[in-house]
Amino acid sequence: MTSTPRMPALRDSLDGSPAPWQRTAAGANLLGADGNLGITIFEEITALAGTHGAINLGQGFPDEDGPAEIRNAARKAILAGMNQYAPGQGLPVLREAIAEHQDRFYGLQLDPATQVLVSTGATEAIASTLLALTGPGDEVLTFEPFYDSYGAIIGLSGAAHTTAPLLAPDFLPDLDALEAAFTDRTRVVLVNNPHNPTGAVFPAEVLQRIVDLAVRHNTVIVTDEVYEHLTFGPRHIPVATLPGAADRTITISSAGKTFSLTGWKIGWLSGPADLVAAIRTIKTFLTYSSGTPFQAAIAGGLRMDDSFFTDIAGTLRAKRNVLSAGLRAAGLDVFQPQGTYFVNADVAPLGITDATDLARRLPGLVGVAAIPVAMFCHPEGAERTRTLLRFAFCKRFDVLQEAAERISRLGEVL
């Protein structure tokens, strides 16, 4: 993290407690001990990649556009005049398509009128949910490493952020440690599955233990399932399909990862009508609505043939293998991901003890950029993951082949 001088207007709250921006920044590991505000590791590494002309495998966005038929549908919607506010809950055609998708793939039956809410990406869905359901005195439990926006929004809400570790090599939770992490103050357990940044896909027995513990402690389950169609072997199991889960689970997903249209920012959530109504109250006063022509186009995307969803996972698996081969050739220990856009590698075999320092040097050393996994952790978790780097493989094959070739020379230049 690099710091910028603190502005005079950015003061603490009048009672001396941290201001909302400070809680948010601290939750995302952006606030230094001196109170100065830093930039995200993504911004820092992206800037370094630009300076050195490096291949940027740090951020998880594709370098190829999604299906032409979906993009053409958005153009048609724009030309047809779908350019004003959509309903705050989302276009009916998209809510109906989301309900159909959940039934088609998972057997979950939803009322699109009361149990589905469209959001500005999954990030807004997560933010709206946590702000609606949690506050000071509550705890929000996530797995660690965790996606950085979780910590930011938990901090903004005023709740305490607790964690259960995911440990190499499989990055599945120790069930005893998971049980110990739950308390009667755990208002929400936030489950990211398939998991970013580790690439783990949780099996049914892990998910069922989460549900059972949530029932015991009267906890709401919030699931971030944006990588639901991007698994490489294991079957994705929505938590809401498990016994005891349906009446306490909010399921979140989006179009960005599935259709390689991350810039459209079309997300959604579904669940019990009372919880969805509560979350909608917050979401209404964040963006109200967004992306009207994109919403219409994504409705068609969700109704594409099964072969589309199978093919995108198969292509991504092949890309994973290309990049993983280069990492292994460099002498790194590679943890084979079962889903998502990301592969983690341990740099310890090269005698490196600080992956964050290496991440800052990597663009200049070999012309490739990656993100240190420690940045997705609290201090204890950062120590556990201090030698891990995360690489994104959601790029073109030729880009990944070049990146793999460059990385394979890492041992020679250290």
Side-chain angles (χ1 to χ4, degrees):
M1 181 186 73
T2 58
S3 297
T4 54
R6 194 170 171 185
M7 300 297 292
L10 299 180
R11 58 178 172 82
D12 300 345
S13 299
L14 291 176
D15 64 359
S17 63
W21 74 268
Q22 292 170 312
R23 298 197 307 270
T24 303
N29 295 328
L30 293 180
L31 198 64
D34 58 359
N36 283 336
L37 182 63
I39 63 172
T40 69
I41 191 66
F42 299 100
E43 292 176 277
E44 182 181 356
I45 297 300
T46 295
L48 288 169
T51 297
H52 294 283
I55 297 172
N56 189 355
L57 303 185
Q59 289 186 277
F61 61 85
D63 58 1
E64 296 177 282
D65 288 333
E69 51 264 55
I70 301 179
R71 290 182 282 127
N72 288 333
R75 294 188 186 98
K76 291 177 181 177
I78 291 169
L79 294 174
M82 297 185 69
N83 302 301
Q84 308 308 322
Y85 294 127
Q89 195 174 353
L91 288 179
V93 66
L94 178 54
R95 285 185 278 121
E96 290 164 3
I98 292 165
E100 291 171 12
H101 171 276
Q102 294 302 91
D103 188 16
R104 168 186 169 191
F105 286 99
Y106 311 122
L108 287 168
Q109 297 185 340
L110 300 168
D111 180 354
T114 61
Q115 292 185 272
V116 178
L117 178 64
V118 177
S119 59
T120 305
T123 301
E124 189 196 33
I126 293 163
S128 299
T129 300
L130 293 178
L131 294 175
L133 302 181
T134 69
D138 294 328
E139 294 175 353
V140 179
L141 173 60
T142 74
F143 293 102
E144 188 179 42
F146 52 83
Y147 183 50
D148 58 348
S149 78
Y150 300 167
I153 299 302
I154 294 167
L156 178 59
S157 78
H161 185 183
T162 61
T163 62
L166 301 178
L167 304 177
D170 57 9
F171 295 107
L172 296 179
D174 176 89
L175 296 183
D176 291 335
L178 174 63
E179 182 170 354
F182 269 87
T183 76
D184 288 339
R185 295 173 60 189
T186 305
R187 173 61 173 153
V188 165
V189 55
L190 175 50
V191 182
N192 178 205
N193 180 48
H195 185 265
N196 172 20
T198 69
V201 177
F202 295 166
E205 57 269 23
V206 168
L207 298 175
Q208 188 62 59
R209 179 65 71 89
I210 294 169
V211 174
D212 295 343
L213 289 167
V215 171
R216 181 190 304 175
H217 293 281
N218 194 26
T219 297
V220 176
I221 305 167
V222 178
T223 67
D224 176 354
E225 303 184 11
V226 297
Y227 297 100
E228 60 185 312
H229 290 294
L230 305 180
T231 62
F232 318 127
R235 182 175 62 91
H236 172 64
I237 303 171
V239 172
T241 63
L242 299 175
D247 64 351
R248 65 176 63 248
T249 300
I250 291 293
T251 302
I252 294 170
S253 194
S254 78
K257 304 300 190 296
T258 297
F259 299 112
S260 294
L261 296 167
T262 59
W264 287 18
K265 297 298 290 181
I266 301 299
W268 53 83
L269 61 83
S270 61
D274 57 341
L275 290 179
V276 171
I279 297 163
R280 181 181 175 186
T281 303
I282 299 297
K283 184 262 183 295
T284 295
F285 298 103
L286 294 178
T287 60
Y288 180 66
S289 71
S290 57
T292 303
F294 299 141
Q295 288 190 31
I298 294 302
L302 289 173
R303 293 177 169 125
M304 293 177 72
D305 291 342
D306 288 0
S307 60
F308 166 78
F309 298 93
T310 302
D311 290 348
I312 57 172
T315 299
L316 203 57
R317 181 205 294 258
K319 292 181 175 184
R320 174 200 68 180
N321 294 343
V322 168
L323 181 59
S324 296
L327 295 171
R328 291 191 182 94
L332 307 183
D333 284 342
V334 177
F335 303 105
Q336 188 87 314
Q338 295 185 314
T340 77
Y341 281 171
F342 308 107
V343 59
N344 289 279
D346 192 341
V347 300
L350 298 181
I352 303 293
T353 59
D354 185 350
T356 300
D357 174 70
L358 179 61
R360 293 183 170 118
R361 294 190 293 130
L362 201 61
L365 285 173
V366 296
V368 175
I371 297 292
V373 175
M375 296 301 172
F376 299 95
C377 300
H378 291 154
E380 183 179 346
E383 179 62 22
R384 278 196 309 269
T385 59
R386 68 187 183 280
T387 61
L388 301 185
L389 288 176
R390 188 197 76 169
F391 296 82
F393 51 84
C394 51
K395 310 297 180 180
R396 300 192 314 272
F397 275 108
D398 62 310
V399 171
L400 291 172
Q401 287 162 350
E402 175 62 24
E405 174 61 27
R406 294 182 184 185
I407 292 169
S408 69
R409 300 193 295 268
L410 178 60
E412 302 170 9
V413 299
L414 287 173

